[in-house]
Amino acid sequence: VQLQASGGGLVQAGDSRTLSCAASGRTFSGLTVGWFRQEPGKERELVAAMFRRWTDAYYADSVKGRFTISRDDDKNTVTLRMNNLKPEDTAVYYCAARSPSARDYVYWGQGTLVTVSS
C-alpha cells in the first residue's frame, strides 16, 4: 500500500490544522493506522493510532485532548485533526499502517512538515 500525507504548513500557536493520508494499492480496511512525528535530532514518536473504525484510539500524552485521529475506510483516508497547536508540535508528521498482528509499521507515507510559530 502506498501512503500520501498532506496538509502540513506554517501555523500560529493556538491554531488548528488537519493532516490527511490517502492510501492507494490497497485499502486501509483491516489495518492499524497511525500518525507519527519527528523533530530534528529526535526519534520518531507515535502520536495517534487507531486499530479500526469505531474503536478507541491511542494518543500520546503530549497530544491527548488536542489531536483526533479518524479514518474513512470507504474513502481510504486517515486524518489527524490538530487543535490548539503549540510550538512544540513542530515536526515532520508521517502516516503509517500495519497489520494488526504486526509489531512494526511497515507502510509509510512521506512526511509533511508542520511548523507552529509562537
Side-chain angles (χ1 to χ4, degrees):
V1 57
Q2 291 78 46
L3 306 181
Q4 179 77 31
S6 61
L10 174 63
V11 298
Q12 293 187 331
D15 284 352
S16 297
R17 195 81 173 184
T18 298
L19 304 181
S20 296
C21 180
S24 60
R26 65 157 289 177
T27 68
F28 277 128
S29 179
L31 296 178
T32 296
V33 294
W35 284 95
F36 289 74
R37 68 185 181 188
Q38 187 169 25
E39 300 173 60
K42 295 188 178 181
E43 291 188 0
R44 192 174 298 185
E45 67 166 334
L46 178 64
V47 296
M50 180 176 280
F51 172 47
R52 55 174 178 257
R53 195 165 38 179
W54 313 126
T55 63
D56 290 338
Y58 160 84
Y59 296 99
D61 288 342
S62 57
V63 306
K64 200 170 294 184
R66 300 188 298 120
F67 289 14
T68 303
I69 186 172
S70 60
R71 60 189 293 167
D72 187 334
D73 288 354
D74 293 330
K75 295 183 178 180
N76 231 14
T77 58
V78 177
T79 62
L80 184 69
R81 175 65 175 177
M82 306 182 293
N83 294 327
N84 190 23
L85 283 162
K86 304 176 180 180
E88 52 264 41
D89 294 319
T90 295
V92 177
Y93 285 74
Y94 300 86
C95 60
R98 63 173 173 84
S99 167
S101 61
R103 188 190 69 174
D104 298 324
Y105 285 79
V106 296
Y107 306 111
W108 290 88
Q110 90 294 355
T112 185
L113 175 64
V114 175
T115 303
V116 185
S117 64
S118 56

